[in-house]
C-alpha cells in the first residue's frame, strides 16, 4: 500500500519541475497570508480598477436599455446576418467559463496537485463568465419579455417548446451548467467561509461569513460525506462541461448553412473553449497573484503548466481549422468551399487573419521554456488568445451568414455602437464581479491548500480520494 | 377573396353619389401645417361631433379606434396594430403580458345597414385607373367602405385581370396623409363655395371677351365627361383654349402615324400573333397601366410548347430595360442612332422586300451592327405577316413612320399591328401641346390659367421657366393631390379628389369605356377635375348627374338597369373603337427620311421615365419608392446609368457623383455602372429630386430630398435624348440603397436558363432529372434525391397547396412585390434601413446577369418562401412559432414568435424578414385605413414571410365548406399570382391532377431551387427558355 | 460565547426552505391567476350605453338570435343589429319609453350606437362565426345562457386551450342546425351524445383543424 | 435522551473538547478514546484527516446512492417530458421531422440527468450533515475557533448524567493541549 503510494509520488515528482509551494508553510501561516487580502483595506489599485469595471457595467446597463426600448434594430444585424455580435459574445463567454470547470473538476479527477492553488479562482471565473454569456440568448431575442415561452410549463395555450431546436438545448445546458458550477463552487467554499468566520476579528464579518458558512465546524463526520459529494460533483461537472460547449456548437452544426454544417464542431469548440478559458485565467492570475501576494502558492509551476495546456489546446484548435478547410475542399461542395474561400478573401478577411495569427501562431511560442516562464510574454499571449477566440466566433457566425446559398441575398454586416458597448459592457460587468470576489473571498481554496501542504511536508501519497476502509 | 361578385355601388352611408368638398367653418381653424390624420383626417371630425353632441368629451372613442363611418368592427384592423404595439412597448417594461389591460373595444353598427353589404366580408367594386388618360379596368376590394386592395378587372380588355405595380400602389397614394387638405388662395384657407363665387365674378369679364384670357392646362385624358365639359365651356367662352401636358408625352407615336398614314392613329401590337418581334427602344413589357395587356400577349408566346412555337425578340436600345432583359438578342445603341438603324434595316429589307426598296442608311454601318441588321432582316423577311417592329415612345416620328413602313412592307398591318382612332382627347400632350400656351404666357396674354396637369412647374423642361411665367398670370388655378412646386406658384390651389374618390369615365387604349366610380368619400374634401371644370359653367349639375346624362343615350333598353350593369362589370359593352386599316403614304415617309442627317457622335443623354414613379407623379408613394428598381434594384433614388466601357474609361464606380452638363445646364447624379448599357450614353430617369415627406419611413420624419432632379437637363425640343453631354466626376460618393449587391449566380445552379435547342434535345431542366414518384406513383415530390428521411403523408388532406413560377414568362416587372405588400400589410422601412439590409417585402425579385458585361443576359427569379416540406427553418425554432400546416403550408405564427432569428439564419433562401424596429408604430389614422383587416399587423421583434396568402385560403375554404363543396382550381389565387401580368405564377392544390399548378409541377422544365439540400420546396420553378437566332449564335 | 444562539438553527433551516419554495409558489400562483375568471375576464362586467336586456328579448319574447345578429351565418362577424332593426319594432312598441330615448336619438341623428364589446379575442386570432354556426356549433355553446343574462358577460374562458379542446374533439359540442340558436336544446337523453355528435359531424362534414393557420394569419 | 426529558428537567448535551497538536495525534487519539468506550466522538479539523473516517469508524457514505436516484429521476423525467410534450400531447409537423425524435432528445435528457443528480447531491449533503446549523455546543468554547483554521480538536459527547471528568482525564493523558467541557445552551 505504502509502496504504491511512494511510487505514485515519485512518478508525480519526475514531472515536478518547479515547486508547488514556496517556503516552509504551516496551517497558521497559511491561514494568515491566504486570508490576508480579505482583511486588508482595499488599496488604490483595487479601487481604481473597480471604478473602471463599474463604469463598464454602467455602459452595459445603458446598452441593454437601448436594446430593449429600440429593439434589435439598434444593433447592426440584418437579413441575412441574423446573428452577429450577440451570439459571438455568447459563445465566447461560455467558452471562457469552461476553463474553470476543467481545472476544478477534471484536474481534480486526475489528482493534479497543482490545481489546488488555482481552482477556486477559476471556478469563480466560470460563474461570472456564464452570467455574462447568459445575457445574450435572452437579449438577442426580438421580444425578450416572451422568452419564458422557451420553458416547458403548462400554458393556457396548450403549447410546448420545440425540443428539436438546439436553442432549447442551449437553454437547458446553460442553466444546468450555471446551477451546477454554482453548487460546486459554494460547496468547496464552505470550509473556507468557516475559516473566515473564525479567523476574523470583527463581529460583523464573523456574523456575515458565519451565515454563509452554515455552521461548518470541520467535523470528521461531515468531511466523510463532504469528500464523496465533492468528488461526485466533480465527476458530474466533467461530462457536463464537455456537453455544454458541444451543445453550443450544435447551434451551428445542426443547421445547414455552409461553414456551420460541420461534424468537427463539437470537439473543436470544446478545445477552443478550454483554450480561451485558460488564456482568460492567465490574464487574471498574473496580476492577481502579484497584487494579492499569492506568489508562494500560485508558483511559476502553475503558470507553466497552464501555458502547456494553452499550447496543447491551441494545437487542437489549429487542427480544427485545418480540417475544416480540408473537408470543405475535399467534399467538392461548391457552397462549402466558397465559404472558406470567402473567409480568406472576402470583406471580413482581416478578422480571419487576425484569428489565425492569435490562435495558431501565438501559442507556438510556448514551445520554449523561456516563454512559458516569462510573465510578460504569457500575459500578452493570453490576451492575444482571447482576442483570437473572439474573432473565431465572429468569423464562424458572420462570414458564414453574410454570403450563403443565393448570391442575391448576400449582404454585409456592420456593428453599431450598441453592439460594441454591449460587448465591452459585459467585460466590465465580469471584472466588477471578479474584483468583488477577490476582495471578499479567499482567492485560493484555503483548506485544500492546507491539505496539500500537509501532503507535501511528509509526502505519503497524492491526495487520496477513495473513502471507506 | 370569395367567388368574385360585382355588387352595385352602395348609395347611402358608405359611398355618396358625388364627392362633396368640406365646407370650411372659418379661416382661423385652418392653421397651415395641420398634423396629418388629425382634425381633417377622415372620420375624426365626424366622430367627434357625434360623440360630443351625445355625451360630450367623456364619450369620445379611444383614440386608436377611429375609423370611417359605416365601418363595422373596423377597429380589428387598427386595434390589432395597437395591441401588438402595446406588447412591444409597454410589455417591454411591464415584463408580463398579463400586465397589459386592453381598454374595452367599441363596436359600432350601422344605423341603416346598406343593402348588399355583409359586414366582415369584403366587396369588390369595378372602376378604372388612368395612365396619361388611358384606362385600365380594376376591381377594388373594399372593406366596409374602405378600399384596401386593387385587382385587375378580368372583363376589361387591357387589364385582363392583371395590373402593373402602379395600380397596386395607388392605394398608398389615396391614403397618403400628406395629401393636400385645404383649399387655399395665396396660402390662406378658402372654401369651395368661396372659390366658385370668385370664378362667377370673373366669368362676367370672360363673357364679354369670350374668355380670350382663359386657358386650361389639363392632364391627358380620354374622359368623355371632360370632353363634354370642355365643349360646354368653349360654347360659353368661345375664345377659351384647352391644352394638355404630360412629362411622358406619346406625341411621337401620333406624329409617326400622321407621317405614315396621314392622320393620328393609335397602334396596337398583337404580340400573341408575332413570331419575331423587333423593339426599337420600345419598352413594351414594363407593365404600365395602359399597356399591361401586351405582357400577357408576349408571355404566352414565350412558352416553348406553344402551338405556333416560341417567339423571338430583338431589342435595340441604349439602356438595359425590362424588355431588353427578355430579349433573345440585344444591340446597344444610342437613341440618336436608332433612326439610322431603322433606315439601315429598311434598306437591308429592301433587298428582298420590294415595298421597302429605296431606303438608304444615312451613315455607313459596319461590324457587329451590320451583322445584327442582316440577321434581323432575314428573320423578319422570313416571317411576313407574323413579324412585328415596334418603335418606342421615346423615338422620333420618323423612326415610327419607318417602322410602320417596314410593318406595312412585311404585311403585318392588320395582322400583328392594328390601328384605331386615338382614345385620348389630345394627341399632342408634349411640346406641340403647350408651346402655343407658353407663347401666350410669355406675351402675358393669359389672365386665368386652370391647371389640372400634374405639377407642370416641376415637370417643365429646363428651358421653360413656367414658375416665372406663372407670375404673369393674375389668376392661376391649380388642382393637385399634394402641395407641390406648382401649388406654390399659383394663387388658387384646390386639393384634388383621387380617382377612387370621384365620379368620372375613361377609355382604354383601344377605346373601351369604363365608368369611374368612387369607392370612398373624399378623405380630405378633394375636388374632381369635372367639378372644377363645372365651376366655369352656369348650371350647377353635379358630375354624377352629368355623367348619367351624358351616357343616357347609350342604353339600349332601360338605362338605369344597364347603367348599374356597366358599373358592376366595369366596362360599357360595345364601346371599343373599331379598327381602321390605313394606307401607307410611302412617298411622304421617304421624303421625310431624305431630310435625315447622321446624328453627331459623342456622349448622349438618355432621359427615361422611371419604372416606379414614372415622371415623378408617384414620387410620394412610399410603396413604389421602396420597390427595388426591376433592373438596378435601387430603392429611393434615381441614378445615372453608364455602360461598363465608359465606367472603365472614366474610372466610375457605383455611387460616384457625376456632374452631367448639357447645353449649359448641369445637374449632379450618382453613377450606376449598368451591364449592357451603351457606352456612348448616360441614362437617367426623371421625376426624382423633390423635397418630400417620406411616408411611413422610420428614420425620416423631416422632409428629405429623394433622388436627383434631371428635368433641368431636358429641353422642350428634345424631351428624351440629346447628344453633346459632358460628364465629370464630382469626386464625392453618394450612398445608394439597393436590395441586391451581388449580380451573378457564381455558377450555382439556381436560376436556370437554356436555349430552345438544348430544351428540344433534353427537355428536363439541366439540374433535374424527371421528378421521382413515391410508392403509389401519385405523389410528385419536390426532391429528386433519394431522401434520407420519410416524407410526411399529405394524401389524407383535401388540399396540398403548391406554387410554380415560370421563369420564361417572368419579366421582373415587380408588380407582385407591390401586390404582396398591399395584401399583407407589409411595412415600408425607408432608404436607410433598406441600406442596412432590412427591407421587408416578402417577395425578393432576384435578378442575375450572365455573359459579358457588354451584352449580358438577365434572369429574373421571384424568391419568396418556398414552403419546404422539410423546412430547415422549422426544426430550429425553439417555441413552435413556425410549423407545418396539415396541408403543407409553412405557417408563421407571429404571436408565438420570440424573435431568435434562428429560422432566418437556417433558411437557405433567406426569404424571411424580421421586424428589427417597430415599423408599424405611430401611423396616422389615414394610413391605418390602408391595412388589410384579414392580416395581422406585425409588431417589433417578430419574424415574417410569405404565407401563400393564407388569409385568402382560409376565406375561400370557409366559403366553400359552408356550401359543402371543394375549392375549384383558380377560384383561389394568391395576391402575386392574381396580379402577375404575364401569368408567370401559379398556385393551387397538387391533389387535383388537372390543376394548373400540377401541370407545371409535372413540366419537364420544373426544377427545385437548392434541391440538393432536400428541402422539398412546394414552390418550384420552370427554367427560362431563350430562343436565340443561330446566325447571331 | 458562541456567535449564534441556538434558536438560529431552526430559523436558518426554515429560511432556507422558504428561499427555495418562494419562486415555486410565485410561478404556481401566476398559473392559477391566468386560469381564474379574473384572468380570463369572465367575471368582468361590461356596462352598455343602452340598457338592453337579453333576458327580455331572448327569454321572454323568444326572438331568434339571428333576427338581430343577422350576418352570423355568412360572415366572420355575428353582425351587430343596425339601429333600424331596433326601430323596426320600437317604432310601434315602447316608442315613447325613456329607456329607448338614446336609441331614437342615435337613429334620428343617423349615428351608430357605441356598444362595448364583451367577447374580445386578441387581434391576431381570426374566429369565424359563419363556419361554426353552419357546422352545428350552437350559440349557447360559447356564449352561454344569454337568455338569462341581464348584462351579457363572457361565458367561456376563450383561451386557446379552450378552443383547441373543442377542435380536437368537436362531436360532443355539435347539435342539429335547426336548433343552432336554441338556448335550451338538450340532446335526447336516450341517444349516446358522442354517437349523435359523430353522426352530425358526418352529416355536416365537419372536420376541424388545429393547424396554426386555422386561426392565426 | 427522551428518558431524561421525561424525568428530570431537560439539560443540553455536554461535550468534552480537546485540541491536539497535529492531525496524526488526533487520529491516534480517536482510536484510543473509542477503545475506552466513548463512541459519540467527532474530530474537528481544517481539512479532512488521513484515516479520519476509519478512526471514527464510519462506513460507506450514502451520498452516491442519493446521487444515483437523482440522476435516474432526471434522466427518465427529462426524456418522458419531451416525449409527452412533443410527441404525445401535441404532435406538430415540424419540418417533416418525426415528432418523437430520440437523437434530438438526448442533449436535454443528459442535462436534466446532471442537473437533478447535482441538486440531489448538494441538498442530500446538507441533509446528511444537518446543515445549516449555525449553533453547536462546541462553539461554546472560544478556543474552538481554531478548529477550522489550524487546530485539531476531538469532541466527546458525554452520556447523560456523566460529568465528563473521566473523558477529560483521558484526553489529558492522550496529550490534548486545551481541554474544556461545554454544554449545549437551551435557548
Amino acid at each position: 500500500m505504502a509502496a504504491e503510494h511512494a511510487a505514485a509520488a515519485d512518478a508525480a515528482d519526475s514531472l515536478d519541475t518547479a515547486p508547488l509551494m514556496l517556503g516552509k508553510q504551516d496551517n497558521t501561516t497559511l491561514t494568515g497570508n491566504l486570508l490576508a487580502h480579505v482583511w486588508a483595506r482595499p488599496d488604490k489599485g483595487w479601487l481604481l480598477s473597480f471604478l473602471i469595471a463599474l463604469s463598464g457595467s454602467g455602459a452595459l446597463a445603458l446598452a441593454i436599455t437601448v436594446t430593449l426600448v429600440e429593439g434589435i434594430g439598434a444593433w447592426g444585424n440584418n437579413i441575412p446576418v441574423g446573428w452577429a455580435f450577440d451570439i459571438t459574445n455568447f459563445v465566447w463567454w461560455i467558452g471562457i467559463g469552461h476553463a474553470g470547470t476543467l481545472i476544478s473538476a477534471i484536474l481534480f479527477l486526475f489528482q493534479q496537485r497543482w490545481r489546488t492553488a488555482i481552482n477556486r479562482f477559476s471556478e469563480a471565473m466560470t460563474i461570472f463568465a456564464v452570467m455574462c454569456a447568459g445575457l445574450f440568448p435572452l437579449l438577442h431575442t426580438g421580444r425578450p419579455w416572451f422568452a419564458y415561452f422557451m420553458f416547458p410549463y403548462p400554458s393556457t395555450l396548450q403549447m410546448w417548446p420545440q425540443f428539436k431546436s438546439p436553442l432549447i438545448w442551449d437553454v437547458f445546458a446553460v442553466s444546468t451548467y450555471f446551477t451546477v458550477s454554482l453548487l460546486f463552487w459554494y460547496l468547496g467554499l464552505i470550509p473556507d467561509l468557516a475559516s473566515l468566520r473564525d479567523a476574523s476579528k470583527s463581529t460583523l464579518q464573523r456574523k456575515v461569513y458565519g451565515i454563509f458558512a452554515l455552521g461548518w465546524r470541520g467535523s470528521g463526520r461531515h468531511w466523510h460525506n463532504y469528500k464523496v459529494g465533492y468528488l461526485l460533483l466533480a465527476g458530474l461537472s466533467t461530462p457536463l462541461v464537455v456537453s455544454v460547449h458541444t451543445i453550443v456548437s450544435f447551434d451551428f452544426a445542426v443547421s445547414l448553412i455552409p461553414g456551420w454544417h460541420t461534424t468537427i464542431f463539437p470537439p473543436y469548440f470544446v478545445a477552443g473553449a478550454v483554450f480561451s478559458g485558460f488564456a482568460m485565467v492567465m490574464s487574471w492570475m498574473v496580476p492577481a497573484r502579484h497584487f494579492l501576494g499569492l506568489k508562494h502558492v500560485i508558483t511559476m509551476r502553475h503558470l507553466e503548466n497552464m501555458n502547456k495546456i494553452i499550447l496543447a489546446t491551441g494545437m487542437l484548435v489549429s487542427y480544427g481549422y485545418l480540417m475544416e478547410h480540408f473537408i470543405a475542399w475535399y467534399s467538392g461542395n461548391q457552397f462549402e468551399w466558397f465559404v472558406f474561400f470567402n473567409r480568406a478573401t472576402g470583406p471580413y478577411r482581416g478578422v480571419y487573419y487576425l484569428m489565425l495569427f492569435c490562435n495558431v501562431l501565438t501559442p507556438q511560442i510556448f514551445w520554449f521554456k523561456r516563454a512559458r516562464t516569462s510573465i510578460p510574454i504569457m500575459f500578452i499571449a493570453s490576451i492575444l488568445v482571447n482576442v483570437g477566440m473572439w474573432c473565431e466566433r465572429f468569423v464562424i457566425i458572420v462570414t458564414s451568414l453574410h454570403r450563403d446559398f443565393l448570391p442575391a441575398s448576400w449582404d454585409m454586416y456592420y456593428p453599431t455602437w450598441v453592439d460594441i458597448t454591449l460587448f465591452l459592457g459585459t467585460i466590465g460587468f465580469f471584472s466588477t464581479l471578479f474584483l468583488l470576489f477577490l476582495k471578499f473571498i479567499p482567492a485560493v481554496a484555503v483548506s485544500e491548500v492546507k491539505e496539500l501542504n500537509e501532503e507535501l511536508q511528509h509526502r505519503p501519497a497524492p491526495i487520496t480520494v477513495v473513502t471507506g476502509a | 377573396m370569395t367567388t368574385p361578385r360585382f355588387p352595385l355601388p352602395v348609395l347611402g352611408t358608405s359611398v355618396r353619389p358625388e364627392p362633396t368638398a368640406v365646407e370650411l367653418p372659418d379661416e382661423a381653424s385652418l392653421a397651415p401645417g395641420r398634423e396629418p390624420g388629425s382634425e381633417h383626417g377622415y372620420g375624426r371630425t365626424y366622430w367627434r361631433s357625434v360623440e360630443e353632441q351625445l355625451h360630450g368629451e367623456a364619450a369620445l372613442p379611444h383614440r386608436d379606434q377611429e375609423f370611417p363611418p359605416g365601418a363595422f368592427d373596423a377597429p380589428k384592423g387598427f386595434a390589432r396594430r395597437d395591441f401588438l404595439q402595446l406588447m412591444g412597448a409597454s410589455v417591454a417594461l411591464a415584463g408580463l403580458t398579463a400586465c397589459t389591460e386592453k381598454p374595452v373595444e367599441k363596436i359600432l353598427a350601422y344605423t341603416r345597414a346598406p343593402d348588399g353589404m355583409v359586414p366582415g366580408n369584403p366587396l369588390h367594386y369595378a372602376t378604372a385607373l388612368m395612365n396619361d388618360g388611358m384606362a385600365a379596368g380594376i376591381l377594388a376590394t373594399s372593406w366596409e367602405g374602405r378600399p384596401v386592395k386593387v385587382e385587375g378587372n378580368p372583363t376589361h380588355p387591357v387589364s385582363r385581370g392583371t395590373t402593373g405595380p402602379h395600380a397596386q400602389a395607388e392605394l398608398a397614394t389615396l391614403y397618403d396623409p400628406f395629401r393636400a387638405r385645404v383649399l387655399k388662395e395665396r396660402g390662406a384657407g378658402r372654401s369651395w363655395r368661396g372659390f366658385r363665387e370668385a370664378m362667377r365674378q370673373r366669368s362676367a369679364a370672360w363673357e364679354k371677351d369670350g374668355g380670350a384670357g382663359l386657358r386650361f392646362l389639363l392632364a391627358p385624358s380620354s374622359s368623355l365627361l371632360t370632353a363634354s365639359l370642355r365643349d360646354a365651356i368653349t360654347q360659353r367662352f368661345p375664345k377659351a383654349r384647352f391644352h394638355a401636358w404630360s412629362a411622358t408625352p406619346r406625341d411621337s407615336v401620333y406624329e409617326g402615324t400622321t407621317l405614315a398614314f396621314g392622320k393620328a392613329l393609335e397602334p396596337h401590337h398583337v404580340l400573341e400573333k408575332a413570331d419575331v418581334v423587333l423593339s426599337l427602344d420600345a419598352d413594351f413589357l414594363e407593365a404600365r397601366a395602359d399597356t399591361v395587356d401586351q405582357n400577357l400577349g408576349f408571355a404566352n408566346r414565350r412558352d416553348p410548347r406553344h402551338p405556333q412555337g416560341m417567339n423571338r425578340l430583338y431589342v435595340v436600345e441604349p439602356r438595359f430595360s425590362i424588355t431588353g432583359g427578355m430579349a433573345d438578342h440585344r444591340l446597344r445603341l444610342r437613341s440618336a442612332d436608332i433612326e439610322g438603324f431603322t433606315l439601315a434595316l429598311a434598306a437591308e429589307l429592301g433587298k428582298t422586300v420590294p415595298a421597302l426598296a429605296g431606303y438608304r442608311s444615312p451613315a455607313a454601318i459596319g461590324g457587329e451592327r451590320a451583322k445584327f441588321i442582316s440577321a434581323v432582316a432575314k428573320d423578319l423577311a422570313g416571317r411576313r405577316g407574323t413579324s412585328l417592329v415596334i418603335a418606342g415612345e421615346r423615338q422620333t416620328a420618323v423612326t415610327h413612320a419607318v417602322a410602320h413602313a417596314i410593318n406595312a412592307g412585311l404585311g403585318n398591318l392588320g395582322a400583328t399591328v392594328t390601328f384605331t382612332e386615338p382614345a385620348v382627347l389630345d394627341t399632342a400632350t408634349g411640346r406641340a401641346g403647350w408651346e402655343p400656351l407658353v407663347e401666350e404666357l410669355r406675351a402675358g396674354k393669359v389672365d386665368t390659367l386652370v391647371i389640372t396637369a400634374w405639377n407642370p412647374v416641376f415637370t417643365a423642361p429646363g428651358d421653360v421657366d413656367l414658375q416665372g411665367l406663372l407670375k404673369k398670370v393674375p389668376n392661376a388655378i391649380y388642382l393637385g393631390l399634394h402641395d407641390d412646386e406648382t401649388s406654390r406658384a399659383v394663387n388658387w390651389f384646390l386639393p384634388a379628389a383621387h380617382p377612387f374618390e370621384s365620379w368620372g369615365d375613361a377609355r382604354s387604349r383601344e377605346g373601351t369605356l369604363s365608368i369611374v366610380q368612387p369607392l370612398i368619400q373624399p378623405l380630405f374634401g378633394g375636388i374632381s377635375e369635372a367639378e372644377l371644370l363645372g365651376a366655369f359653367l352656369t348650371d350647377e349639375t353635379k358630375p354624377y348627374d352629368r355623367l348619367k346624362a351624358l351616357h343616357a343615350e347609350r342604353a339600349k333598353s332601360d338605362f338605369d338597369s344597364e347603367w348599374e350593369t356597366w358599373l358592376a362589370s366595369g366596362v360599357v359593352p360595345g364601346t371599343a373603337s373599331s379598327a381602321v386599316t390605313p394606307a401607307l403614304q410611302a412617298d411622304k415617309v421617304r421624303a421625310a427620311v431624305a431630310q435625315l442627317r447622321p446624328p453627331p457622335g459623342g456622349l448622349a443623354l438618355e432621359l427615361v421615365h422611371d419604372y416606379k414613379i414614372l415622371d415623378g407623379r408617384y414620387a410620394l408613394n412610399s410603396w413604389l419608392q421602396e420597390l427595388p428598381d426591376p433592373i438596378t434594384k435601387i430603392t429611393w433614388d434615381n441614378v445615372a446609368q453608364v455602360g461598363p466601357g465608359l465606367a472603365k474609361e472614366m474610372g466610375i464606380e457605383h455611387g460616384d457623383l457625376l456632374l452631367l452638363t448639357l447645353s449649359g445646364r448641369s445637374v449632379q447624379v450618382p453613377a450606376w455602372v449598368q451591364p449592357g448599357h451603351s457606352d456612348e450614353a448616360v441614362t437617367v430617369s426623371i421625376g426624382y429630386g423633390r423635397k418630400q415627406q417620406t411616408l411611413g419611413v422610420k428614420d425620416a420624419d423631416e422632409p428629405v430630398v429623394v433622388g436627383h432632379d434631371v428635368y433641368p437637363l431636358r429641353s422642350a425640343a428634345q424631351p428624351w435624348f440629346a447628344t453633346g453631354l459632358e460628364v465629370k466626376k464630382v469626386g464625392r460618393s453618394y450612398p445608394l440603397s439597393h436590395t441586391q449587391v451581388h449580380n451573378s449566380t457564381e455558377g450555382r445552379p439556381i436560376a436556370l436558363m437554356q436555349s430552345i435547342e438544348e430544351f428540344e434535345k433534353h427537355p428536363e431542366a439541366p439540374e433535374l432529372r424527371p421528378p421521382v414518384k413515391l410508392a403509389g406513383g401519385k405523389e410528385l415530390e419536390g426532391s429528386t434525391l433519394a431522401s434520407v428521411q420519410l416524407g410526411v403523408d399529405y394524401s389524407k388532406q383535401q388540399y396540398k397547396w403548391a406554387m410554380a413560377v415560370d421563369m420564361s414568362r417572368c419579366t421582373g416587372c415587380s408588380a407582385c412585390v407591390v401586390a404582396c405588400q398591399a395584401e399583407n400589410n407589409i411595412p415600408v422601412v425607408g432608404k436607410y434601413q433598406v441600406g442596412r439590409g432590412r427591407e421587408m417585402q416578402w417577395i425578393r425579385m432576384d435578378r442575375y446577369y450572365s455573359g459579358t458585361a457588354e451584352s449580358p443576359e438577365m434572369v429574373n427569379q421571384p424568391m419568396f418562401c418556398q414552403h419546404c416540406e422539410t423546412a430547415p427553418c422549422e426544426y430550429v425554432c425553439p417555441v413552435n412559432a413556425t410549423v407545418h400546416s396539415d396541408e403543407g403550408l409553412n405557417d408563421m405564427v407571429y404571436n408565438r414568435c420570440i424573435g431568435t432569428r434562428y429560422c432566418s439564419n437556417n433558411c437557405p433562401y433567406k426569404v424571411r424578414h424580421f421586424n428589427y424596429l417597430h415599423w408599424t408604430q405611430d401611423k396616422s389614422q389615414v394610413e391605418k385605413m390602408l391595412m388589410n383587416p384579414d392580416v395581422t399587423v406585425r409588431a417589433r421583434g417578430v419574424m415574417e414571410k410569405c404565407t401563400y396568402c393564407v388569409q385568402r385560403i382560409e376565406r375561400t375554404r370557409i366559403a366553400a365548406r359552408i356550401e359543402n363543396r371543394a375549392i375549384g382550381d383558380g377560384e383561389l389565387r394568391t395576391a402575386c399570382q392574381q396580379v402577375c401580368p404575364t401569368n408567370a405564377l401559379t398556385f393551387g392544390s397538387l391533389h387535383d391532377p388537372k390543376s394548373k399548378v400540377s401541370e407545371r409541377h409535372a413540366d419537364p422544365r420544373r426544377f427545385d431551387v437548392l434541391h440538393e439540400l432536400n428541402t422539398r420546396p412546394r414552390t418550384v420553378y420552370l427554367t427560362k427558355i431563350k430562343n436565340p437566332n443561330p446566325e447571331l449564335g | 460565547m458562541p456567535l449564534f444562539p441556538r434558536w438560529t438553527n431552526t430559523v436558518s433551516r426554515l429560511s432556507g426552505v422558504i428561499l427555495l419554495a418562494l419562486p415555486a409558489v410565485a410561478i404556481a400562483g401566476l398559473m392559477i391567476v391566468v386560469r381564474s375568471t379574473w384572468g380570463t375576464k369572465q367575471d368582468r362586467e361590461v356596462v352598455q350605453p343602452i340598457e338592453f336586456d337579453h333576458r327580455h328579448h331572448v327569454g321572454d319574447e323568444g326572438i331568434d338570435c339571428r333576427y338581430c345578429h343577422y350576418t352570423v351565418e355568412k360572415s366572420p362577424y355575428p353582425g351587430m343589429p343596425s339601429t333600424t332593426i331596433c326601430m323596426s319594432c320600437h317604432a310601434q312598441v315602447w316608442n315613447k319609453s325613456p329607456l329607448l330615448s338614446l336609441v331614437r336619438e342615435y337613429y334620428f341623428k343617423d349615428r351608430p350606437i357605441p356598444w362595448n364589446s364583451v367577447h374580445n379575442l386578441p387581434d391576431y386570432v381570426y374566429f369565424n362565426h359563419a363556419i361554426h354556426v353552419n357546422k352545428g356549433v350552437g350559440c349557447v355553446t360559447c356564449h352561454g345562457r344569454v337568455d338569462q343574462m341581464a348584462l351579457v358577460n363572457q361565458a367561456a374562458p376563450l383561451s386557446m386551450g379552450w378552443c383547441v379542446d373543442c377542435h380536437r374533439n368537436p362531436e360532443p359540442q355539435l347539435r342539429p342546425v335547426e336548433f343552432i340558436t336554441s338556448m335550451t336544446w338538450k340532446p335526447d337523453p336516450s341517444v349516446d351524445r358522442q354517437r349523435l355528435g359523430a353522426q352530425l359531424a358526418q352529416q355536416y362534414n365537419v372536420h376541424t383543424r388545429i393547424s396554426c393557420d386555422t386561426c392565426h394569419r | 435522551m427522551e428518558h431524561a426529558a421525561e424525568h428530570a428537567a431537560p439539560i443540553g448535551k455536554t461535550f468534552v473538547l480537546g485540541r491536539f497538536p497535529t492531525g496524526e495525534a488526533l487520529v491516534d487519539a480517536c482510536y484510543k478514546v473509542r477503545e475506552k468506550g466513548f463512541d459519540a466522538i467527532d474530530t474537528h479539523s481544517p481539512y479532512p484527516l488521513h484515516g479520519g473516517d476509519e478512526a471514527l469508524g464510519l462506513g460507506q457514505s450514502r451520498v452516491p446512492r442519493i446521487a444515483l436516484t437523482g440522476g435516474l429521476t432526471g434522466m427518465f423525467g427529462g426524456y418522458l417530458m419531451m416525449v409527452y410534450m412533443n410527441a404525445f400531447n401535441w404532435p406538430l409537423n415540424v419540418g417533416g421531422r418525426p415528432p418523437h425524435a430520440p437523437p434530438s432528445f438526448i442533449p436535454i435528457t443528459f442535462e436534466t440527468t446532471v442537473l437533478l443528480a447535482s441538486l440531489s447531491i448538494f441538498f442530500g449533503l446538507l441533509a446528511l450533515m444537518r446543515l445549516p446549523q449555525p449553533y453547536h455546543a462546541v462553539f461554546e468554547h472560544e478556543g474552538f475557533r481554531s478548529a477550522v483554521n489550524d487546530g485539531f480538536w476531538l469532541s466527546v459527547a458525554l452520556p447523560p448524567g456523566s460529568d465528563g471528568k473521566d473523558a477529560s482525564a483521558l484526553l489529558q493523558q492522550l496529550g490534548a493541549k486545551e481541554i474544556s467541557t461545554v454544554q449545549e445552551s437551551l435557548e
Side-chain angles (χ1 to χ4, degrees), chain A residues 152-411:
Chain A
Y153 68 100
S155 74
T156 55
L157 315 173
Q158 296 192 0
M159 288 292 291
W160 302 108
Q162 202 279 100
F163 291 110
K164 295 181 202 77
S165 166
L167 276 184
I168 282 282
W169 308 346
D170 265 355
V171 172
F172 278 81
V174 173
S175 45
T176 305
Y177 186 44
F178 181 72
T179 323
V180 174
S181 310
L182 195 60
L183 296 180
F184 194 46
W185 187 61
Y186 184 62
L187 198 62
L189 209 48
I190 290 176
D192 294 359
L193 288 166
S195 167
L196 283 165
R197 174 194 66 198
D198 288 350
S200 168
K201 311 250 167 322
S202 96
T203 323
L204 176 67
Q205 273 180 336
R206 294 198 60 202
K207 281 204 186 307
V208 175
Y209 286 121
I211 289 170
F212 288 104
L214 305 179
W216 178 262
R217 51 184 190 278
S219 151
R221 297 173 184 280
H222 286 180
W223 282 122
H224 173 53
N225 289 324
Y226 180 93
K227 285 183 295 183
V228 182
Y230 195 79
L231 173 68
L232 289 176
L233 271 186
L236 285 168
S237 314
T238 308
L240 177 64
V241 69
V242 175
S243 80
V244 169
H245 224 58
T246 304
I247 287 176
V248 168
S249 76
F250 282 167
D251 282 348
F252 309 105
V254 168
S255 84
L256 50 56
I257 298 302
W260 284 13
H261 183 70
T262 319
T263 44
I264 197 177
F265 264 17
Y268 147 51
F269 265 53
V270 174
V274 178
F275 186 47
S276 60
F278 267 83
M280 187 59 103
V281 177
M282 185 61 81
S283 322
W284 277 92
M285 189 169 290
V286 166
R289 74 191 273 275
H290 176 71
F291 290 114
L292 306 182
L294 299 173
K295 289 189 174 148
H296 57 289
V297 282
I298 305 178
T299 66
M300 188 50 77
R301 162 99 174 277
H302 294 102
L303 302 179
E304 191 179 350
N305 286 355
M306 289 172 60
N307 288 335
K308 287 175 184 167
I309 292 191
I310 290 181
L311 174 58
T313 46
M315 295 307 287
L316 285 175
V317 171
S318 315
Y319 173 77
Y321 297 157
L322 196 67
M323 264 306 137
E324 268 191 320
H325 288 71
F326 170 72
I327 294 296
W329 165 79
Y330 186 66
S331 67
N333 177 329
Q334 56 176 335
F335 302 113
E336 196 70 25
W337 175 241
F338 175 82
V339 166
F340 289 89
F341 180 74
N342 181 47
R343 284 183 187 173
T345 60
Y348 293 112
R349 59 183 176 284
V351 191
Y352 175 79
Y353 290 116
L354 182 57
M355 168 190 92
L356 288 184
F357 171 74
C358 294
N359 295 351
V360 179
L361 293 186
T362 312
Q364 303 309 324
I365 193 164
F366 288 134
W367 287 111
F368 308 101
K369 188 171 179 69
R370 184 174 290 113
R372 279 207 302 277
T373 51
S374 144
I375 296 289
I377 291 186
M378 67 176 79
F379 183 71
I380 294 166
S382 68
I383 299 288
L384 285 180
V385 169
N386 281 315
V387 173
M389 285 309 290
W390 191 90
C391 294
E392 176 194 303
R393 275 64 180 253
F394 183 87
V395 166
I396 289 174
I397 292 171
V398 173
T399 60
S400 305
L401 282 176
H402 91 118
R403 291 181 174 179
D404 62 351
F405 291 100
L406 302 188
S409 70
W410 293 358
D411 210 338

Side-chain angles (χ1 to χ4, degrees), chain B residues 24 27 29-34 40 179-185 187-191 483 493-495 524-525:
Chain B
L24 300 173
E27 320 292 323
S29 77
L30 293 164
R34 192 181 294 284
H40 282 258
R179 269 176 61 188
R181 25 188 101 217
V182 183
L183 193 160
K184 295 189 200 140
E185 180 180 20
R190 291 278 184 275
S191 73
D483 256 315
F493 171 58
L494 287 65
F524 310 112

